[in-house]
Amino acid sequence: MTQYKEKACLIGSGNWGSAIAKIVGRNVTEHDGFDREVKMWVFEEMINGEKLTEIINTKHENAKYLPNIKLPPNVKAVPDVVETCHDATVLIFVVPHQFVKGICQKLVGRIRPDARAISLIKGVDVSAMGLTLVSDLIKQNLNVDVSVLMGANIANEVAAENFCETTIGYSDPDNAEVLKKLFHTPYFRVSTVPDVAGVEICGALKNIVALGAGFVDGLRYGDNTKAAIIRLGLLEMKKFAKMFYSGVRDETFLESCGVADLITTCSGGRNRRVAEAMVTTGKPLDVLEKEMLNGQKLQGTLTAKEVYEILSRQNLTHEFPLFTVIYRISFESLPASHIVRDL
């Protein structure tokens, strides 16, 4: 009899996706029970006259989104998302959250019945029905179990193999065991907690707080003010999670996905950096996103807008003064100095 093997694939190949591909590609060769090929869906682009997929498959490097970092040769770039996923048992979603719904629609009926997924996506989806976590969006569309991975994980530092921690939120402990084998390394330490919603909400909401930290840095208000923004941000994250989702655990906010991710994102992430530039240059965030991020997306602004829609719809903006003032600075031309005046 042929031994059953898990087969992992990556849906996404940006900065973070490529850093994760390095880990997953190596781990499937070091653990029994995994197929050694890891397909990675790549949105095809031309880079200096060459297809990005061809560069990755021949030079084993994502020249656009993670240059100068070698990917394992068993990671195969594929330009078609259906081909990437059709024989996989573990679907690793790592794309900007606004693209998830369209990708899932392409995959309906095209994946294995025993497949499950894990989302590394930091954001939420908002519709007339209310707020939906990305993990729930994937679950609803594909009818699979979905775990999440969130943590203090700046992609370039992970790719350089600097030590860090991360958190997997799960509902099925058997799936958590498989996923830990896929992601855990001596430099990328994985902990698991039975709290998908809590882990995921931390990953989404911290990007809003990071915008506030960037405004503070642009105003040159100093470390005391920034620490206050981080503390107040953590309180609003926890309050929001508990208000909208039952079963969220207090301990989750002390995991890497909570306080650690918040600290690192408010210190060195792209949301903080672009928000600081908005204050110092006077340019809008959407313009700076194009100028500074080499095709990557600012998740903080989209999440701030979506969360504000939810709070406004339910007359709760007064309960979340930090989230509200960050939205207004980002989208309503409110002076950045109101980051402290309106709290």
Side-chain angles (χ1 to χ4, degrees):
M1 293 180 64
T2 302
Q3 184 182 7
Y4 175 83
K5 286 184 179 287
E6 300 284 357
K7 185 170 179 59
C9 74
L10 287 133
I11 303 170
S13 57
N15 186 238
W16 183 216
S18 297
I20 285 296
K22 179 181 175 182
I23 290 173
V24 173
R26 185 180 295 170
N27 278 357
V28 297
T29 68
E30 295 181 354
H31 292 288
D32 292 334
F34 288 94
D35 189 295
R36 295 196 167 205
E37 182 184 65
V38 177
K39 293 179 182 176
M40 177 172 70
W41 175 59
V42 175
F43 180 78
E44 193 69 277
E45 301 178 68
M46 299 299 294
I47 309 295
N48 297 323
E50 290 185 84
K51 291 181 178 179
L52 183 55
T53 53
E54 292 179 358
I55 295 172
I56 293 171
N57 289 334
T58 57
K59 300 177 182 176
H60 309 297
E61 176 186 336
N62 189 330
K64 180 169 183 179
Y65 295 109
L66 196 67
N68 305 314
I69 297 292
K70 286 296 180 184
L71 301 178
N74 58 317
V75 174
K76 179 184 178 182
V78 178
D80 182 88
V81 71
V82 174
E83 180 187 343
T84 301
C85 300
H86 85 276
D87 58 349
T89 62
V90 181
L91 313 179
I92 303 167
F93 280 81
V94 56
V95 291
H97 81 267
Q98 58 268 37
F99 301 127
V100 172
K101 195 177 297 183
I103 289 170
C104 285
Q105 288 170 353
K106 292 180 180 179
L107 294 177
V108 171
R110 305 268 186 100
I111 61 173
R112 290 174 53 143
D114 60 347
R116 66 278 226 201
I118 181 167
S119 170
L120 281 64
I121 300 166
K122 295 176 176 178
V124 292
D125 185 71
V126 172
S127 67
M129 302 297 292
L131 180 145
T132 305
L133 297 177
V134 172
S135 61
D136 287 334
L137 192 64
I138 297 168
K139 187 184 303 182
Q140 291 163 8
N141 279 272
L142 298 181
N143 194 29
V144 296
D145 181 75
V146 186
S147 304
V148 297
L149 182 150
M150 308 282 159
N153 307 143
I154 292 176
N156 289 343
E157 295 182 16
V158 173
E161 302 189 12
N162 296 339
F163 175 80
C164 66
E165 299 175 306
T166 199
T167 311
I168 290 177
Y170 67 88
S171 56
D172 184 327
D174 291 335
N175 289 345
E177 186 177 338
V178 172
L179 294 168
K180 188 165 184 175
K181 288 180 181 178
L182 268 181
F183 293 102
H184 182 82
T185 75
Y187 68 88
F188 192 68
R189 182 179 292 170
V190 174
S191 63
T192 60
V193 295
D195 184 5
V196 174
V199 172
E200 187 167 4
I201 289 170
C202 284
L205 298 185
K206 57 94 183 184
N207 284 326
I208 303 176
V209 185
L211 293 175
F215 298 148
V216 166
D217 286 343
L219 292 162
R220 306 294 184 258
Y221 279 175
D223 292 337
N224 292 342
T225 306
K226 191 169 179 178
I229 294 300
I230 291 172
R231 187 190 75 85
L232 293 168
L234 184 62
L235 290 177
E236 291 199 9
M237 287 165 56
K238 185 175 180 181
K239 184 176 184 178
F240 187 95
K242 295 259 186 184
M243 185 177 289
F244 288 96
Y245 286 89
S246 61
V248 172
R249 296 154 53 106
D250 288 339
E251 312 92 273
T252 298
F253 295 88
L254 298 179
E255 294 283 346
S256 181
C257 63
V259 64
D261 196 8
L262 181 61
I263 290 169
T264 197
T265 307
C266 289
S267 302
R270 73 183 75 157
N271 292 280
R272 186 220 61 82
R273 185 162 49 94
V274 176
E276 179 184 24
M278 189 193 90
V279 177
T280 58
T281 67
K283 296 180 180 179
L285 288 170
D286 58 341
V287 172
L288 291 166
E289 177 185 67
K290 294 175 183 175
E291 292 181 356
M292 298 175 65
L293 297 185
N294 190 35
Q296 297 179 75
K297 296 297 181 183
L298 260 190
Q299 293 303 306
T301 49
L302 188 55
T303 305
K305 186 175 183 179
E306 291 172 335
V307 166
Y308 183 79
E309 286 179 22
I310 291 288
L311 297 177
S312 296
R313 198 178 297 161
Q314 301 198 25
N315 296 316
L316 290 170
T317 55
H318 64 285
E319 297 267 3
F320 296 87
L322 182 63
F323 287 173
T324 298
V325 73
I326 289 171
Y327 167 81
R328 295 188 64 207
I329 293 169
S330 301
F331 291 99
E332 296 182 353
S333 301
L334 189 73
S337 58
H338 282 255
I339 190 68
V340 293
R341 290 185 197 175
D342 290 5
L343 296 180

